[in-house]
Amino acid sequence: MMKNVAKIATCLLLALTVGGQAYAVDGGNPKKGKHLYKKECKACHSKGDAAGELTPMSKTMSQWDRYFKRDMHKVKPEVFEKLSEKDRLDIQQFLYDHAADSDQPQTCG
């Protein structure tokens, strides 16, 4: 009986974990997002630049979600304004998928 309860609990925990991550960013293309990040963001967010280095590993998944939810690009909002909603979603997906606490953290080499 205890083994069954443990199995059910493990399955529920796994489902909630995977489901929660899928809910956070839905529909973005991380490969396109990486390309867009390199093209649109990296010019100002590289090591030694005035805006400071910013990579996917600079934030956790939940921090990236909050960043995009609040549209936090304060210094040059026109950067975000010129991107389509789909482009922003692709960049968000890339950053989320490779955040500091993700399964595959990375910089943006």
Side-chain angles (χ1 to χ4, degrees):
M1 180 70 178
M2 286 303 286
K3 286 184 180 182
N4 288 338
V5 171
K7 285 180 186 178
I8 292 171
T10 302
C11 289
L12 285 173
L13 182 61
L14 181 63
L16 290 173
T17 302
V18 172
Q21 289 177 354
Y23 177 74
V25 182
D26 190 26
N29 180 334
K31 289 183 181 185
K32 185 177 177 194
K34 183 175 184 175
H35 168 76
L36 288 167
Y37 182 86
K38 285 182 173 184
K39 180 181 173 193
E40 302 294 339
C41 308
K42 197 167 179 180
C44 296
H45 290 293
S46 294
K47 196 171 192 170
D49 287 326
E53 184 177 26
L54 189 65
T55 71
M57 289 183 11
S58 299
K59 298 182 184 298
T60 64
M61 291 184 282
S62 61
Q63 287 172 322
W64 281 120
D65 283 342
R66 283 192 305 271
Y67 177 87
F68 279 86
K69 187 175 184 178
R70 295 177 184 163
D71 215 11
M72 299 298 290
H73 205 283
K74 295 176 183 175
V75 177
K76 292 187 175 183
E78 66 274 6
V79 172
F80 266 9
E81 291 169 5
K82 77 177 188 173
L83 296 171
S84 71
E85 189 65 34
K86 178 68 173 134
D87 288 346
R88 283 186 232 162
L89 185 61
D90 292 340
I91 292 170
Q92 181 182 2
Q93 187 75 58
F94 164 67
L95 295 170
Y96 181 88
D97 286 356
H98 301 289
D101 61 342
S102 71
D103 292 338
Q104 300 173 0
Q106 66 174 250
T107 59
C108 190

XYZ file of all heavy atoms in Angstrom:
852
model
N 0.821 -1.195 0.000
C 0.000 0.000 0.000
C 0.864 1.259 0.000
O 0.586 2.180 -0.721
C -0.929 -0.046 1.223
C -1.821 1.137 1.339
S -3.068 1.084 0.041
C -3.983 2.498 0.425
N 1.913 1.277 0.824
C 2.790 2.448 0.889
C 3.526 2.670 -0.426
O 3.761 3.800 -0.826
C 3.798 2.307 2.038
C 3.208 2.515 3.417
S 2.400 4.129 3.589
C 3.819 5.181 3.675
N 3.889 1.573 -1.112
C 4.571 1.712 -2.394
C 3.659 2.381 -3.417
O 4.103 3.220 -4.195
C 5.042 0.350 -2.909
C 6.231 -0.196 -2.171
C 6.698 -1.491 -2.796
C 7.906 -2.028 -2.033
N 8.416 -3.252 -2.642
N 2.390 2.022 -3.407
C 1.433 2.635 -4.334
C 1.259 4.121 -4.041
O 1.192 4.936 -4.958
C 0.079 1.926 -4.274
C 0.133 0.552 -4.917
O 1.005 0.288 -5.739
N -0.785 -0.318 -4.538
N 1.168 4.466 -2.777
C 1.027 5.873 -2.391
C 2.270 6.658 -2.822
O 2.170 7.764 -3.355
C 0.794 6.007 -0.865
C 0.866 7.453 -0.430
C -0.540 5.383 -0.487
N 3.437 6.072 -2.618
C 4.677 6.729 -3.023
C 4.734 6.907 -4.535
O 5.160 7.954 -5.029
C 5.883 5.936 -2.532
N 4.305 5.908 -5.277
C 4.291 6.003 -6.745
C 3.340 7.098 -7.210
O 3.672 7.890 -8.088
C 3.882 4.667 -7.363
C 4.953 3.611 -7.313
C 4.457 2.314 -7.938
C 5.461 1.204 -7.773
N 4.971 -0.075 -8.337
N 2.162 7.137 -6.615
C 1.172 8.153 -6.991
C 1.690 9.547 -6.651
O 1.593 10.474 -7.444
C -0.184 7.875 -6.300
C -0.798 6.602 -6.883
C -1.130 9.055 -6.451
C -2.015 6.103 -6.137
N 2.271 9.693 -5.477
C 2.814 10.989 -5.062
C 3.931 11.432 -5.999
O 4.010 12.597 -6.399
C 3.311 10.923 -3.624
N 4.791 10.512 -6.381
C 5.886 10.830 -7.295
C 5.349 11.253 -8.655
O 5.819 12.234 -9.238
C 6.825 9.610 -7.450
O 7.320 9.248 -6.167
C 7.981 9.914 -8.375
N 4.360 10.545 -9.166
C 3.753 10.895 -10.455
C 3.099 12.273 -10.404
O 3.243 13.068 -11.339
C 2.739 9.837 -10.878
S 3.492 8.282 -11.383
N 2.390 12.554 -9.333
C 1.760 13.865 -9.187
C 2.794 14.983 -9.116
O 2.641 16.029 -9.741
C 0.865 13.893 -7.944
C -0.458 13.163 -8.050
C -1.156 13.136 -6.700
C -1.340 13.809 -9.090
N 3.843 14.754 -8.364
C 4.901 15.751 -8.251
C 5.558 16.003 -9.599
O 5.783 17.148 -9.991
C 5.940 15.304 -7.220
C 7.087 16.269 -6.950
C 6.548 17.590 -6.420
C 8.052 15.670 -5.966
N 5.837 14.951 -10.317
C 6.432 15.076 -11.648
C 5.503 15.814 -12.594
O 5.920 16.716 -13.324
C 6.778 13.692 -12.201
C 7.420 13.654 -13.579
C 8.768 14.377 -13.550
C 7.609 12.233 -14.039
N 4.221 15.478 -12.581
C 3.244 16.135 -13.447
C 3.138 17.622 -13.128
O 3.079 18.462 -14.026
C 1.885 15.460 -13.318
N 3.116 17.957 -11.851
C 3.033 19.363 -11.461
C 4.283 20.136 -11.844
O 4.214 21.280 -12.276
C 2.776 19.481 -9.959
C 1.394 19.059 -9.493
C 1.328 19.057 -7.970
C 0.330 19.977 -10.072
N 5.443 19.514 -11.698
C 6.694 20.165 -12.056
C 6.749 20.437 -13.548
O 7.025 21.555 -13.982
C 7.894 19.296 -11.622
O 7.813 19.082 -10.227
C 9.208 19.960 -11.960
N 6.496 19.427 -14.341
C 6.529 19.588 -15.794
C 5.422 20.521 -16.248
O 5.637 21.401 -17.072
C 6.414 18.215 -16.492
C 6.252 18.380 -17.990
C 7.643 17.375 -16.190
N 4.253 20.363 -15.712
C 3.134 21.223 -16.076
C 3.371 22.670 -15.710
O 3.035 23.573 -16.460
N 3.967 22.913 -14.572
C 4.262 24.279 -14.141
C 5.271 24.949 -15.046
O 5.158 26.117 -15.381
N 6.267 24.212 -15.488
C 7.258 24.770 -16.391
C 6.659 25.034 -17.760
O 6.948 26.039 -18.384
C 8.456 23.839 -16.505
C 9.289 23.799 -15.254
C 10.439 22.818 -15.352
O 10.567 22.076 -16.308
N 11.274 22.812 -14.344
N 5.822 24.140 -18.244
C 5.200 24.332 -19.548
C 4.244 25.523 -19.514
O 4.095 26.233 -20.493
C 4.463 23.079 -19.961
N 3.593 25.739 -18.394
C 2.664 26.844 -18.264
C 3.384 28.192 -18.258
O 2.884 29.167 -18.772
C 1.852 26.689 -16.973
C 0.922 27.828 -16.716
C -0.239 27.976 -17.453
C 1.221 28.782 -15.755
C -1.096 29.033 -17.231
C 0.373 29.842 -15.526
C -0.789 29.958 -16.272
O -1.624 31.019 -16.054
N 4.580 28.222 -17.702
C 5.292 29.481 -17.532
C 5.546 30.180 -18.861
O 5.332 31.367 -18.989
C 6.602 29.242 -16.802
N 6.020 29.460 -19.841
C 6.246 30.015 -21.165
C 5.666 29.004 -22.139
O 6.116 27.873 -22.195
C 7.742 30.207 -21.460
C 7.930 30.825 -22.824
C 8.404 31.056 -20.407
N 4.697 29.410 -22.901
C 4.048 28.462 -23.793
C 4.056 29.005 -25.210
O 3.609 30.122 -25.449
C 2.614 28.219 -23.326
C 1.955 27.073 -24.056
O 2.679 26.180 -24.531
O 0.722 27.073 -24.148
N 4.581 28.231 -26.130
C 4.477 28.583 -27.540
C 5.689 29.255 -28.138
O 5.694 29.550 -29.322
N 6.715 29.506 -27.347
C 7.906 30.131 -27.894
C 8.837 29.105 -28.526
O 8.839 27.942 -28.170
N 9.629 29.561 -29.469
C 10.616 28.716 -30.132
C 11.993 29.097 -29.593
O 12.527 30.150 -29.958
C 10.540 28.929 -31.643
C 11.530 28.097 -32.409
O 12.579 27.704 -31.898
N 11.227 27.851 -33.668
N 12.588 28.270 -28.733
C 13.860 28.648 -28.110
C 15.017 28.788 -29.098
O 15.911 29.597 -28.882
C 14.124 27.534 -27.100
C 13.294 26.391 -27.545
C 12.118 26.966 -28.261
N 15.004 28.036 -30.196
C 16.078 28.174 -31.190
C 15.996 29.523 -31.885
O 16.998 30.202 -32.073
C 16.020 27.035 -32.204
C 16.444 25.713 -31.611
C 16.458 24.614 -32.625
C 16.875 23.324 -31.936
N 17.026 22.231 -32.851
N 14.800 29.919 -32.262
C 14.613 31.238 -32.854
C 14.916 32.319 -31.812
O 15.498 33.354 -32.126
C 13.195 31.391 -33.386
C 12.987 32.699 -34.110
C 11.605 32.809 -34.707
C 11.451 34.176 -35.361
N 10.059 34.478 -35.662
N 14.509 32.051 -30.566
C 14.768 33.007 -29.492
C 16.252 33.247 -29.275
O 16.681 34.372 -29.034
N 17.058 32.189 -29.371
C 18.504 32.346 -29.218
C 19.062 33.231 -30.331
O 19.858 34.128 -30.090
C 19.198 30.984 -29.211
C 20.692 31.077 -28.988
C 21.324 29.701 -28.857
C 22.802 29.824 -28.529
N 23.412 28.505 -28.282
N 18.603 32.981 -31.553
C 19.043 33.799 -32.689
C 18.641 35.267 -32.477
O 19.450 36.177 -32.671
C 18.435 33.255 -33.986
C 18.593 34.166 -35.149
N 19.791 34.316 -35.808
C 17.718 35.013 -35.757
C 19.632 35.211 -36.779
N 18.390 35.636 -36.765
N 17.393 35.490 -32.073
C 16.920 36.855 -31.841
C 17.666 37.521 -30.690
O 17.976 38.715 -30.748
C 15.419 36.856 -31.562
C 14.523 36.574 -32.757
C 13.102 36.284 -32.305
C 14.549 37.756 -33.713
N 17.944 36.758 -29.629
C 18.686 37.312 -28.498
C 20.064 37.788 -28.957
O 20.493 38.889 -28.615
C 18.823 36.287 -27.375
C 19.533 36.842 -26.180
C 18.847 37.526 -25.202
C 20.916 36.716 -26.045
C 19.498 38.074 -24.101
C 21.578 37.256 -24.959
C 20.866 37.934 -23.993
O 21.516 38.477 -22.926
N 20.744 36.946 -29.732
C 22.069 37.326 -30.230
C 21.988 38.551 -31.131
O 22.848 39.423 -31.078
C 22.716 36.166 -30.978
C 23.231 35.065 -30.077
C 23.888 33.975 -30.889
C 24.548 32.948 -29.995
N 25.276 31.930 -30.777
N 20.953 38.620 -31.948
C 20.792 39.722 -32.906
C 20.334 41.020 -32.239
O 20.854 42.089 -32.534
C 19.781 39.306 -33.971
C 19.512 40.351 -35.018
C 18.487 39.852 -36.012
C 18.100 40.979 -36.953
N 16.906 40.642 -37.720
N 19.366 40.928 -31.338
C 18.726 42.126 -30.791
C 19.201 42.537 -29.395
O 19.114 43.699 -29.041
C 17.203 41.928 -30.748
C 16.574 41.614 -32.082
C 16.671 42.762 -33.077
O 16.853 43.932 -32.657
O 16.552 42.483 -34.282
N 19.669 41.591 -28.598
C 19.936 41.882 -27.187
C 21.427 41.903 -26.838
O 21.861 42.715 -26.020
C 19.241 40.860 -26.297
S 17.483 40.649 -26.639
N 22.163 41.004 -27.442
C 23.549 40.803 -27.034
C 24.438 42.019 -27.303
O 25.425 42.233 -26.607
C 24.115 39.553 -27.701
C 25.360 39.052 -27.025
C 25.733 37.678 -27.488
C 27.002 37.274 -26.770
N 27.457 35.968 -27.147
N 24.088 42.830 -28.279
C 24.898 44.009 -28.591
C 25.042 44.937 -27.381
O 26.108 45.516 -27.164
C 24.280 44.769 -29.759
N 24.006 45.044 -26.585
C 24.041 45.905 -25.398
C 24.297 45.129 -24.112
O 24.638 45.736 -23.096
C 22.721 46.652 -25.249
S 22.381 47.789 -26.599
N 24.099 43.817 -24.135
C 24.186 43.025 -22.915
C 25.337 42.029 -22.926
O 25.190 40.892 -22.499
C 22.863 42.279 -22.677
C 21.739 43.187 -22.303
N 21.708 43.874 -21.116
C 20.613 43.528 -22.971
C 20.595 44.595 -21.065
N 19.922 44.406 -22.174
N 26.487 42.467 -23.425
C 27.695 41.642 -23.381
C 28.596 42.141 -22.269
O 28.435 43.261 -21.768
C 28.438 41.705 -24.718
O 27.669 41.106 -25.728
N 29.546 41.335 -21.896
C 30.470 41.700 -20.827
C 31.190 43.003 -21.183
O 31.710 43.158 -22.279
C 31.485 40.575 -20.627
C 32.234 40.653 -19.343
C 33.048 39.397 -19.127
C 33.551 39.362 -17.705
N 34.136 38.083 -17.373
N 31.170 43.948 -20.265
C 31.847 45.221 -20.459
C 31.006 46.294 -21.122
O 31.424 47.441 -21.197
N 29.820 45.963 -21.631
C 28.954 46.965 -22.236
C 28.238 47.766 -21.159
O 28.100 47.324 -20.020
C 27.926 46.313 -23.163
C 28.561 45.818 -24.457
O 29.504 46.470 -24.942
O 28.114 44.777 -24.966
N 27.759 48.941 -21.544
C 27.127 49.851 -20.595
C 25.920 49.222 -19.895
O 25.683 49.452 -18.712
C 26.706 51.128 -21.309
N 25.141 48.423 -20.604
C 23.947 47.816 -20.017
C 24.283 46.634 -19.124
O 23.428 46.147 -18.394
C 22.986 47.378 -21.115
N 25.502 46.167 -19.196
C 25.922 45.044 -18.363
C 25.603 43.702 -19.000
O 24.677 43.567 -19.789
N 26.401 42.718 -18.641
C 26.220 41.381 -19.187
C 24.907 40.772 -18.698
O 24.574 40.844 -17.530
C 27.382 40.487 -18.783
C 27.310 39.109 -19.396
C 28.509 38.244 -19.051
O 29.145 38.470 -17.994
O 28.812 37.345 -19.827
N 24.169 40.222 -19.625
C 22.914 39.560 -19.306
C 22.823 38.308 -20.162
O 22.864 38.389 -21.385
C 21.730 40.480 -19.600
C 20.367 40.016 -19.122
C 20.325 39.949 -17.595
C 19.285 40.949 -19.622
N 22.756 37.173 -19.516
C 22.649 35.893 -20.212
C 21.457 35.147 -19.634
O 20.910 35.572 -18.608
C 23.924 35.041 -20.014
O 23.977 34.578 -18.662
C 25.192 35.815 -20.340
N 21.062 34.040 -20.247
C 19.960 33.270 -19.658
C 20.239 32.887 -18.207
O 19.329 32.875 -17.379
C 19.888 32.029 -20.548
C 20.434 32.474 -21.851
C 21.497 33.475 -21.522
N 21.500 32.620 -17.885
C 21.856 32.204 -16.523
C 21.869 33.358 -15.520
O 22.078 33.139 -14.346
C 23.223 31.520 -16.528
C 23.181 30.166 -17.179
S 24.714 29.206 -17.184
C 25.831 30.025 -16.120
N 21.627 34.570 -15.975
C 21.607 35.718 -15.066
C 20.397 35.705 -14.137
O 20.391 36.386 -13.120
C 21.592 37.029 -15.854
O 22.749 37.142 -16.645
N 19.362 34.971 -14.525
C 18.129 34.930 -13.741
C 17.616 33.489 -13.659
O 17.998 32.643 -14.454
C 17.050 35.797 -14.393
C 17.410 37.270 -14.490
C 16.264 38.055 -15.093
C 16.607 39.509 -15.308
N 16.924 40.269 -14.134
N 16.727 33.257 -12.719
C 16.052 31.965 -12.622
C 14.857 31.979 -13.579
O 14.484 33.033 -14.106
C 15.556 31.697 -11.194
O 14.561 32.680 -10.867
C 16.695 31.718 -10.193
N 14.237 30.825 -13.751
C 13.071 30.743 -14.642
C 11.955 31.680 -14.181
O 11.371 32.403 -14.986
C 12.575 29.299 -14.718
C 13.541 28.380 -15.441
S 12.954 26.684 -15.653
C 13.229 26.008 -14.022
N 11.675 31.698 -12.897
C 10.592 32.562 -12.406
C 10.962 34.037 -12.535
O 10.091 34.872 -12.785
C 10.218 32.213 -10.964
O 11.305 32.401 -10.103
N 12.240 34.373 -12.390
C 12.652 35.762 -12.579
C 12.475 36.200 -14.035
O 12.046 37.323 -14.294
C 14.104 35.949 -12.144
C 14.297 35.907 -10.648
C 15.761 35.901 -10.246
O 16.604 35.264 -10.894
N 16.075 36.604 -9.176
N 12.782 35.316 -14.980
C 12.566 35.649 -16.389
C 11.077 35.825 -16.671
O 10.676 36.737 -17.399
C 13.169 34.594 -17.319
C 14.646 34.740 -17.487
C 15.593 33.809 -17.175
C 15.354 35.872 -17.992
N 16.848 34.305 -17.457
C 16.732 35.571 -17.964
C 14.970 37.124 -18.470
C 17.718 36.457 -18.393
C 15.952 38.016 -18.899
C 17.297 37.685 -18.863
N 10.246 34.972 -16.091
C 8.801 35.110 -16.277
C 8.320 36.467 -15.776
O 7.568 37.159 -16.459
C 8.040 34.005 -15.537
C 8.087 32.679 -16.266
O 8.396 32.666 -17.473
O 7.824 31.651 -15.628
N 8.758 36.837 -14.584
C 8.354 38.141 -14.031
C 8.874 39.284 -14.893
O 8.169 40.268 -15.108
C 8.851 38.283 -12.597
C 8.032 37.508 -11.597
C 8.351 37.891 -10.160
N 9.753 37.763 -9.815
C 10.318 36.660 -9.344
N 9.606 35.573 -9.170
N 11.606 36.642 -9.038
N 10.093 39.170 -15.382
C 10.689 40.208 -16.217
C 9.812 40.469 -17.442
O 9.476 41.610 -17.748
C 12.098 39.779 -16.646
C 12.771 40.767 -17.565
C 13.485 41.833 -17.054
C 12.685 40.632 -18.943
C 14.108 42.743 -17.893
C 13.302 41.534 -19.780
C 14.010 42.586 -19.259
O 14.605 43.488 -20.096
N 9.428 39.414 -18.131
C 8.625 39.597 -19.336
C 7.184 39.961 -19.014
O 6.547 40.710 -19.764
C 8.684 38.340 -20.217
C 9.927 38.290 -21.054
C 11.099 37.753 -20.551
C 9.935 38.814 -22.333
C 12.257 37.724 -21.310
C 11.087 38.788 -23.109
C 12.244 38.240 -22.596
N 6.659 39.478 -17.930
C 5.284 39.805 -17.542
C 5.165 41.298 -17.246
O 4.180 41.933 -17.574
C 4.879 38.987 -16.315
C 3.437 39.118 -15.948
C 3.097 38.191 -14.794
C 1.617 38.252 -14.486
N 1.267 37.338 -13.402
N 6.201 41.851 -16.645
C 6.184 43.273 -16.274
C 6.787 44.156 -17.350
O 6.844 45.369 -17.191
C 6.950 43.469 -14.969
C 6.294 42.790 -13.811
C 7.114 42.947 -12.567
N 6.509 42.213 -11.473
C 7.142 41.892 -10.368
N 8.403 42.243 -10.202
N 6.531 41.226 -9.433
N 7.286 43.556 -18.452
C 7.896 44.303 -19.555
C 8.964 45.262 -19.024
O 8.870 46.478 -19.154
C 6.812 45.057 -20.327
C 7.122 45.113 -21.809
O 8.036 44.411 -22.263
O 6.441 45.878 -22.505
N 9.973 44.707 -18.403
C 10.930 45.472 -17.620
C 12.090 46.119 -18.385
O 13.024 46.585 -17.788
C 11.515 44.577 -16.518
C 10.479 44.056 -15.545
S 9.628 45.351 -14.641
C 10.918 45.933 -13.580
N 12.061 46.151 -19.684
C 13.169 46.773 -20.412
C 12.989 48.283 -20.324
O 12.413 48.921 -21.194
C 13.193 46.298 -21.867
C 14.547 46.387 -22.469
N 15.102 47.568 -22.885
C 15.480 45.437 -22.701
C 16.308 47.341 -23.365
N 16.566 46.056 -23.261
N 13.501 48.867 -19.244
C 13.231 50.270 -18.917
C 14.112 51.259 -19.680
O 13.655 52.324 -20.065
C 13.434 50.491 -17.418
C 12.451 49.740 -16.571
C 12.767 49.918 -15.109
C 11.813 49.089 -14.276
N 12.126 49.120 -12.877
N 15.366 50.924 -19.899
C 16.292 51.895 -20.457
C 15.964 52.245 -21.906
O 15.885 53.410 -22.263
C 17.753 51.383 -20.341
C 18.721 52.354 -20.979
C 18.104 51.176 -18.877
N 15.778 51.244 -22.732
C 15.441 51.481 -24.135
C 14.195 50.682 -24.505
O 14.277 49.640 -25.144
C 16.608 51.082 -25.045
C 17.816 51.966 -24.916
C 18.842 51.607 -25.968
C 20.004 52.576 -25.910
N 20.976 52.299 -26.953
N 13.024 51.161 -24.128
C 11.810 50.391 -24.415
C 11.565 50.191 -25.904
O 10.885 49.271 -26.301
C 10.695 51.209 -23.760
C 11.265 52.546 -23.520
C 12.754 52.401 -23.433
N 12.143 51.047 -26.744
C 11.947 50.897 -28.182
C 12.525 49.583 -28.704
O 12.103 49.076 -29.743
C 12.533 52.085 -28.957
C 14.043 52.220 -28.892
C 14.559 53.006 -27.675
O 13.772 53.361 -26.794
O 15.774 53.252 -27.640
N 13.481 49.010 -27.961
C 14.039 47.709 -28.345
C 12.930 46.659 -28.305
O 12.775 45.870 -29.231
C 15.206 47.309 -27.419
C 15.651 45.882 -27.682
C 16.367 48.267 -27.583
N 12.150 46.653 -27.231
C 11.044 45.706 -27.120
C 9.909 46.064 -28.075
O 9.249 45.204 -28.623
C 10.510 45.667 -25.695
C 11.110 44.593 -24.845
C 12.191 43.840 -25.264
C 10.580 44.325 -23.602
C 12.730 42.841 -24.463
C 11.114 43.331 -22.794
C 12.188 42.595 -23.232
N 9.666 47.353 -28.276
C 8.553 47.783 -29.115
C 8.725 47.356 -30.564
O 7.745 47.096 -31.254
C 8.375 49.294 -29.014
C 7.879 49.739 -27.647
C 7.953 51.239 -27.442
O 8.304 51.976 -28.395
O 7.670 51.672 -26.318
N 9.971 47.279 -31.043
C 10.182 46.908 -32.449
C 10.045 45.400 -32.667
O 9.901 44.955 -33.797
C 11.524 47.413 -32.961
C 12.730 46.633 -32.537
C 13.983 47.197 -33.186
C 15.169 46.302 -32.909
N 16.335 46.726 -33.633
N 10.073 44.616 -31.592
C 9.911 43.170 -31.704
C 8.428 42.806 -31.695
O 7.641 43.411 -30.970
C 10.595 42.460 -30.533
C 12.103 42.593 -30.434
C 12.599 42.037 -29.108
C 12.784 41.887 -31.599
N 8.073 41.811 -32.474
C 6.688 41.335 -32.442
C 6.453 40.572 -31.143
O 7.402 40.172 -30.459
C 6.419 40.418 -33.639
O 7.108 39.182 -33.473
N 5.210 40.350 -30.833
C 4.863 39.575 -29.636
C 5.447 38.167 -29.736
O 5.930 37.614 -28.762
C 3.334 39.529 -29.470
C 2.887 38.940 -28.165
C 3.300 39.759 -26.945
O 3.350 40.992 -27.031
O 3.596 39.145 -25.894
N 5.421 37.594 -30.930
C 5.971 36.254 -31.156
C 7.485 36.264 -30.941
O 8.033 35.336 -30.342
C 5.624 35.777 -32.574
C 6.194 34.430 -32.925
C 5.556 33.304 -32.135
C 6.036 31.962 -32.643
N 6.415 31.045 -31.609
N 8.173 37.300 -31.419
C 9.626 37.395 -31.211
C 9.957 37.483 -29.721
O 10.878 36.831 -29.240
C 10.206 38.613 -31.932
C 10.248 38.447 -33.438
O 10.082 37.311 -33.925
O 10.447 39.470 -34.129
N 9.204 38.277 -28.983
C 9.419 38.383 -27.533
C 9.184 37.039 -26.852
O 9.930 36.654 -25.957
C 8.486 39.428 -26.919
C 8.947 40.834 -27.171
C 8.080 41.793 -26.422
N 7.630 42.776 -27.392
C 6.614 43.583 -27.247
N 5.895 43.534 -26.155
N 6.299 44.439 -28.168
N 8.170 36.327 -27.295
C 7.869 35.022 -26.729
C 9.002 34.030 -27.028
O 9.388 33.242 -26.167
C 6.546 34.495 -27.277
C 6.031 33.194 -26.691
C 5.784 33.325 -25.192
C 4.746 32.785 -27.395
N 9.562 34.106 -28.233
C 10.685 33.234 -28.593
C 11.912 33.535 -27.723
O 12.565 32.625 -27.226
C 11.042 33.388 -30.069
C 9.973 32.849 -30.995
O 9.142 32.032 -30.560
O 9.971 33.259 -32.175
N 12.210 34.804 -27.526
C 13.341 35.191 -26.676
C 13.089 34.749 -25.235
O 13.968 34.192 -24.579
C 13.598 36.714 -26.746
C 14.104 37.092 -28.144
C 14.601 37.144 -25.678
C 14.154 38.584 -28.400
N 11.870 34.960 -24.755
C 11.524 34.547 -23.396
C 11.682 33.041 -23.242
O 12.201 32.569 -22.233
C 10.102 34.963 -23.057
C 9.692 34.585 -21.649
C 8.262 34.963 -21.330
O 7.528 35.479 -22.171
N 7.848 34.723 -20.105
N 11.261 32.284 -24.230
C 11.373 30.823 -24.160
C 12.832 30.407 -24.084
O 13.206 29.546 -23.298
C 10.711 30.178 -25.378
C 10.650 28.664 -25.291
C 9.598 28.190 -24.328
O 8.432 28.525 -24.488
N 9.981 27.424 -23.336
N 13.685 31.037 -24.899
C 15.122 30.734 -24.864
C 15.703 31.052 -23.495
O 16.411 30.232 -22.894
C 15.854 31.521 -25.951
C 17.335 31.578 -25.745
C 18.112 30.428 -25.839
C 17.966 32.777 -25.439
C 19.484 30.472 -25.632
C 19.329 32.830 -25.231
C 20.089 31.673 -25.330
N 15.406 32.233 -22.972
C 15.947 32.631 -21.676
C 15.434 31.721 -20.562
O 16.191 31.312 -19.681
C 15.590 34.089 -21.389
C 16.229 35.108 -22.333
C 15.630 36.492 -22.115
C 17.735 35.139 -22.166
N 14.162 31.386 -20.602
C 13.549 30.513 -19.603
C 14.160 29.117 -19.643
O 14.525 28.556 -18.622
C 12.043 30.458 -19.852
C 11.293 29.605 -18.866
C 10.820 30.149 -17.681
C 11.058 28.259 -19.119
C 10.131 29.368 -16.770
C 10.364 27.474 -18.212
C 9.903 28.042 -17.043
O 9.225 27.264 -16.139
N 14.275 28.563 -20.852
C 14.784 27.190 -21.002
C 16.226 27.032 -20.548
O 16.654 25.936 -20.217
C 14.672 26.723 -22.455
C 13.252 26.407 -22.866
O 12.338 26.477 -22.007
O 13.044 26.092 -24.060
N 16.982 28.131 -20.543
C 18.404 28.058 -20.203
C 18.761 28.932 -18.999
O 19.907 29.350 -18.836
C 19.244 28.420 -21.426
C 18.974 27.502 -22.580
N 19.384 26.188 -22.587
C 18.291 27.684 -23.726
C 18.991 25.614 -23.707
N 18.311 26.496 -24.409
N 17.765 29.196 -18.156
C 17.969 29.995 -16.939
C 18.858 29.252 -15.952
O 19.135 28.054 -16.105
C 16.611 30.294 -16.303
N 19.286 29.953 -14.925
C 20.218 29.399 -13.936
C 19.689 28.129 -13.283
O 20.461 27.212 -12.999
C 20.529 30.454 -12.870
N 18.381 28.031 -13.065
C 17.831 26.860 -12.394
C 17.158 25.872 -13.352
O 16.438 24.983 -12.934
C 16.851 27.277 -11.299
C 15.667 28.062 -11.818
O 15.737 28.592 -12.950
O 14.664 28.174 -11.104
N 17.421 26.000 -14.640
C 16.836 25.084 -15.626
C 17.669 23.810 -15.732
O 18.750 23.709 -15.155
C 16.764 25.763 -16.993
O 18.066 25.899 -17.529
N 17.155 22.868 -16.500
C 17.894 21.622 -16.726
C 19.117 21.829 -17.619
O 20.053 21.030 -17.588
C 16.990 20.577 -17.386
C 15.890 20.094 -16.462
O 16.053 20.229 -15.227
O 14.884 19.583 -16.965
N 19.101 22.889 -18.443
C 20.195 23.154 -19.380
C 20.637 24.617 -19.300
O 20.492 25.368 -20.261
C 19.747 22.848 -20.803
C 19.317 21.427 -21.007
C 18.718 21.216 -22.394
O 18.623 22.128 -23.192
N 18.329 19.996 -22.668
N 21.188 25.062 -18.171
C 21.606 26.461 -18.087
C 22.737 26.734 -19.079
O 23.554 25.880 -19.360
C 22.101 26.606 -16.640
C 22.354 25.226 -16.159
C 21.487 24.313 -16.967
N 22.720 27.937 -19.635
C 23.800 28.320 -20.546
C 23.908 29.831 -20.651
O 23.008 30.553 -20.278
C 23.605 27.706 -21.950
C 22.416 28.192 -22.713
C 22.398 27.642 -24.128
O 22.597 28.383 -25.064
N 22.141 26.353 -24.287
N 25.039 30.247 -21.152
C 25.220 31.658 -21.444
C 24.615 31.868 -22.833
O 23.626 31.257 -23.149
C 26.702 32.056 -21.400
O 27.403 31.265 -22.347
C 27.280 31.817 -20.017
N 25.169 32.649 -23.627
C 24.638 32.828 -24.976
C 25.776 32.844 -25.984
O 25.706 33.505 -26.989
C 23.807 34.089 -25.068
S 22.897 34.212 -26.604
N 26.831 32.152 -25.690
C 28.016 32.037 -26.503
C 28.032 32.507 -27.828
O 27.760 32.972 -28.699
